[in-house]
Amino acid sequence: MNMTELPGWADWLVSSLIIIGALFALIGSVGLARLPDFMARLHAPTKSTTLGVGGVILGSIVYFSVTATFSWHELLITIFLFLTAPISAHLLAKAGLHLELKRVENTRDLRAQPNQYSDED
Amino acid sequence: MNKILPAPFLSLFLLVFWLLLQNTITPGLVVLGAILAVAIPLYTNRGRDFPATIRKPFKAIEYFFLLLVDILISNLNIAAIILMPSRRIKPALIEYPLDIVGEVPITVLASTISLTPGTITAEIRRDGRALMIHALNVDDHEKLIASIKQRYEMRLKEIFKC
Amino acid sequence: MLVFAVQFAFVAFSVALLLNLWRLFRGPDLPDRILALDTIYINSLALLVLFGIWHGTAFYFEAALLIAMLGFIGTVAAAKFLLRGDIIE
């Protein structure tokens, strides 16, 4: 351990960002383990984990900006994660629909023409 | 202007990305970054077959902050659903009719839906006029569709003018 | 306070990783496993960033960025493979 002492406000800010981020990431993973079917499980990691990691990275930005020189480059990871999370969610949803995975019984299908969505080219 | 900078926002984004990656700002790096920011869009412009222009940059920035707040709220919702003791969620597959056209606006809308409360875009209909959304817990799907339309799609329509 | 926060986060992310591993082994289908892998790389990236804070160095940033990029490409490739049975068409 080699952490520098922070001034009071920064200490609280970094600590709360890290704790909130860690909680969100944990909740996302609990959701991944606990929700009943694949489409529902898809919701938890794409939203909560991304935000959780975003919180930790924001904490890291504040920490390094206060202790060392002004440092923004961790922001790149956050931006990248927020850009890519919907894309991987979309691809995995497509894969799940393509393989026709089991859904929980109370899933309602409200599509007017379900046959218009298959991905046969 | 159009000859040298075919995609001004892409150039700006590349310059900012380059400076973030270097994590310092010195004149030399800015010049090098500017050269790259001009050269890369020029070189890749032939491959861009999806023209998109942001007509109202300030509206776009406002949209970005609205999205940020909504992502926070959506995470609280999801957390509540996950930690609910009962497992009785009401998932649904919803068809969302699109008003906007163009590949970039639809992509932005689909990503927005994926990042906000309890919904994920799963598929686009073959004719490109509707999205298929999976909602994690929904009682009234008409209300959900109306709220997405009014909150995001209208704004995107204004930003991209399409 | 910060020491406690970072220790708490270490524990939280480790538990999260264990849950992801459980889902990875449990399945039941291939998309579930890919989703678990996707979450694993995001969580381990956060652990790396935390490790950087713990040791007060910024050297782990590049590693975290690389994990983010390669992990995303891996997820896309695996999902593509499930969709088409082929990665590069």
Side-chain angles (χ1 to χ4, degrees):
Chain A
M1 190 184 87
N2 192 17
M3 284 191 285
T4 330
E5 275 297 308
L6 294 174
W9 62 273
D11 193 40
W12 281 99
L13 183 60
V14 175
S15 306
S16 40
L17 278 172
I18 288 177
I19 288 179
I20 292 170
L23 277 179
F24 270 121
L26 184 58
I27 289 172
S29 297
V30 171
L32 177 68
R34 184 169 185 269
L35 287 171
D37 70 346
F38 173 70
M39 291 302 277
R41 280 199 280 273
L42 197 50
H43 286 267
T46 47
K47 296 189 180 75
S48 306
T49 310
T50 312
L51 187 78
V53 176
V56 170
I57 288 169
L58 275 185
S60 154
I61 290 176
V62 177
Y63 175 79
F64 284 113
S65 296
V66 172
T67 54
T69 51
F70 196 58
S71 155
W72 272 94
H73 60 182
E74 287 95 335
L75 206 59
L76 282 177
I77 301 178
T78 320
I79 297 172
F80 189 79
L81 282 182
F82 272 101
L83 283 180
T84 56
I87 299 171
S88 42
H90 172 69
L91 275 170
L92 283 172
K94 267 178 91 112
L97 289 170
H98 179 71
L99 297 178
E100 292 174 349
L101 299 184
K102 264 202 289 291
R103 297 189 209 114
V104 280
E105 313 85 56
N106 59 348
T107 305
R108 286 161 297 159
D109 196 341
L110 301 168
R111 290 173 292 170
Q113 305 146 296
N115 56 337
Q116 288 296 304
Y117 287 93
S118 68
D119 53 353
E120 304 291 318
D121 295 320
Chain B
M1 180 70 184
N2 273 348
K3 273 270 155 51
I4 307 171
L5 283 176
F9 286 107
L10 177 62
S11 299
L12 187 67
F13 179 75
L14 282 172
L15 181 58
V16 172
F17 204 95
W18 167 258
L19 290 176
L20 276 176
L21 204 56
Q22 299 297 330
N23 210 18
T24 44
I25 296 184
T26 58
L29 283 177
V30 175
V31 171
L32 192 53
I35 292 173
L36 286 173
V38 172
I40 291 174
L42 274 182
Y43 180 67
T44 56
N45 198 36
R46 269 183 310 169
R48 277 162 48 98
D49 53 352
F50 41 86
T53 40
I54 298 176
R55 298 292 162 80
K56 297 207 167 149
F58 290 106
K59 286 265 177 193
I61 294 168
E62 188 200 318
Y63 184 82
F64 175 75
F65 283 106
L66 175 89
L67 189 57
L68 225 54
V69 174
D70 282 0
I71 288 172
L72 271 175
I73 297 169
S74 104
N75 274 286
L76 293 177
N77 278 343
I78 295 281
I81 291 173
I82 289 170
L83 298 179
M84 253 188 335
S86 79
R87 286 187 166 201
R88 246 174 295 131
I89 54 171
K90 292 185 213 147
L93 289 170
I94 301 171
E95 194 170 56
Y96 177 81
L98 284 168
D99 280 338
I100 52 176
V101 288
E103 291 184 14
V104 175
I106 290 179
T107 310
V108 175
L109 182 66
S111 302
T112 307
I113 291 171
S114 286
L115 282 173
T116 48
T119 46
I120 276 187
T121 319
E123 190 75 275
I124 185 165
R125 199 163 72 192
R126 256 187 248 147
D127 58 1
R129 300 305 310 137
L131 292 174
M132 176 176 149
I133 297 175
H134 181 269
L136 185 53
N137 194 7
V138 63
D139 289 318
D140 184 1
H141 67 280
E142 298 287 342
K143 218 161 93 190
L144 179 71
I145 290 175
S147 83
I148 292 174
K149 218 162 215 86
Q150 178 244 333
R151 206 171 164 79
Y152 306 116
E153 196 171 1
M154 288 300 138
R155 282 169 217 259
L156 282 177
K157 210 168 182 168
E158 226 174 311
I159 291 169
F160 288 104
K161 280 272 183 330
C162 58
Chain C
M1 184 65 189
L2 188 57
V3 176
F4 167 74
V6 175
Q7 281 169 345
F8 174 82
F10 274 137
V11 174
F13 277 107
S14 310
V15 174
L17 276 173
L18 287 177
L19 287 167
N20 297 157
L21 271 180
W22 184 76
R23 178 54 71 196
L24 179 65
F25 286 119
R26 176 93 197 286
D29 298 296
L30 279 175
D32 286 293
R33 295 178 208 268
I34 298 174
L35 185 60
L37 278 175
D38 189 66
T39 318
I40 284 177
Y41 91 74
I42 295 180
N43 279 333
S44 39
L45 181 157
L47 269 181
L48 256 186
V49 172
L50 278 174
F51 197 66
I53 296 179
W54 187 252
H55 283 291
T57 74
F59 291 128
Y60 294 101
F61 158 75
E62 272 84 6
L65 191 64
L66 276 178
I67 290 180
M69 294 182 161
L70 292 180
F72 170 64
I73 292 170
T75 307
V76 169
K80 216 51 194 157
F81 180 72
L82 284 190
L83 273 172
R84 303 266 195 240
D86 208 346
I87 295 173
I88 300 165
E89 292 169 30

